[in-house]
Amino acid sequence: MDKITEAIQRVTGMEGIYDRALKIMDNVENDQEEFLNYQAELMKLADYYSSPDWKDDFALDEEGKLPQDLKRGVLSEDGVYNLLERNKELLDQRRKSGSNIGMKYLKLLNLIPLIMFFIIDKLRGTLISRYLLIIIVALGVVNMFLAKGMKDYLISSLMLVASTVVGMIIYTYFYYYFVSANPDAPIVGAAIMMVYGFIAFAVAAVGTVVVVIKDRKNKER
């Protein structure tokens, strides 16, 4: 097989991948699975574009040795490059979108204090429990290191503080009206709520400083 015939076959094969990729990218919002499944073919195109074969085929085209009716979009200097850059951007957008969805679910962990008082009670634990304090501190630390910025961190911290306070209020109400009508129950509940609320606020305050430092370091890079 002569050099020109080989070049025609390569260009024709890569052109098919190129055209198909354009259509898939245009429809990526409706069919992301097809887009992901086509990445192996795009890698073939990327390998071809960076190989000596592409340079040889380009040179033959410049010399006018390839058929005039040969479709040769892959031999344009910007065509494949722009396609691969667009593919990279779409993959980055998908990763960020997946990350954002994951962060939304992680934020829901801050609602754990809404029920943890009931869990400790069922386990016959004390309401001023080191386990509860560890949970609150752990959630605060998770918020610090996963937050993408101050706004994101403040939302997570407010969820943690609010769920801690509201959880204790709900538990106090439940205990007073359904377990024991002891007149001291609301007072004790308020005192416990203040303890946990203070811990949650303290963790949030420390986290604010950490996030500010992180933001400054990111801006300096």
Side-chain angles (χ1 to χ4, degrees):
M1 187 182 296
D2 62 65
K3 183 167 65 173
I4 294 178
T5 302
E6 289 180 351
I8 292 172
Q9 290 183 350
R10 277 196 302 269
V11 171
T12 300
M14 293 299 121
E15 192 69 24
I17 295 176
Y18 179 84
D19 289 343
R20 180 64 180 157
L22 285 174
K23 292 179 181 178
I24 290 175
M25 289 182 191
D26 288 340
N27 191 49
V28 67
E29 292 185 2
N30 299 320
D31 196 343
Q32 290 198 12
E33 184 176 354
E34 184 181 25
F35 169 68
L36 293 174
N37 291 338
Y38 206 68
Q39 291 303 306
E41 293 299 303
L42 279 167
M43 284 301 298
K44 294 179 183 178
L45 182 59
D47 291 341
Y48 168 69
Y49 183 63
S50 60
S51 72
D53 285 339
W54 184 88
K55 294 178 181 178
D56 293 341
D57 297 344
F58 180 79
L60 288 174
D61 188 40
E62 288 289 291
E63 294 168 8
K65 294 181 179 180
L66 297 180
Q68 292 296 317
D69 60 348
L70 178 67
K71 195 173 181 182
R72 49 169 59 77
V74 291
L75 295 181
S76 67
E77 294 190 33
D78 296 328
V80 177
Y81 175 81
N82 290 338
L83 180 77
L84 295 176
E85 283 298 302
R86 183 183 178 192
N87 183 63
K88 182 180 177 182
E89 290 174 3
L90 289 172
L91 288 173
D92 287 342
Q93 289 175 9
R94 189 176 185 279
R95 290 191 194 98
K96 290 178 181 177
S97 176
S99 176
N100 289 337
I101 292 173
M103 284 300 298
K104 287 180 181 178
Y105 284 112
L106 286 174
K107 284 179 181 177
L108 294 179
L109 292 176
N110 290 294
L111 299 179
I112 289 176
L114 283 173
I115 61 170
M116 67 183 184
F117 298 104
F118 292 94
I119 295 174
I120 293 297
D121 180 67
K122 292 299 180 183
L123 296 175
R124 296 290 185 258
T126 58
L127 287 179
I128 298 294
S129 166
R130 66 176 181 275
Y131 299 111
L132 295 181
L133 295 175
I134 289 172
I135 289 173
I136 292 173
V137 173
L139 288 172
V141 172
V142 169
N143 290 337
M144 286 181 213
F145 290 100
L146 293 184
K148 294 182 178 179
M150 182 57 69
K151 180 180 178 182
D152 193 47
Y153 175 72
L154 288 176
I155 292 173
S156 297
S157 295
L158 285 173
M159 288 177 66
L160 177 59
V161 173
S163 65
T164 300
V165 173
V166 173
M168 193 61 227
I169 292 174
I170 293 174
Y171 176 78
T172 300
Y173 177 88
F174 168 80
Y175 188 87
Y176 182 74
Y177 286 99
F178 298 99
V179 179
S180 172
N182 189 322
D184 292 334
I187 299 174
V188 174
I192 295 174
M193 180 183 68
M194 290 177 65
V195 172
Y196 286 113
F198 175 78
I199 296 297
F201 272 116
V203 172
V206 172
T208 301
V209 175
V210 172
V211 174
V212 167
I213 294 173
K214 281 175 56 181
D215 285 348
R216 287 182 179 176
K217 287 184 177 180
N218 290 333
K219 290 178 181 177
E220 290 173 359
R221 290 176 182 175

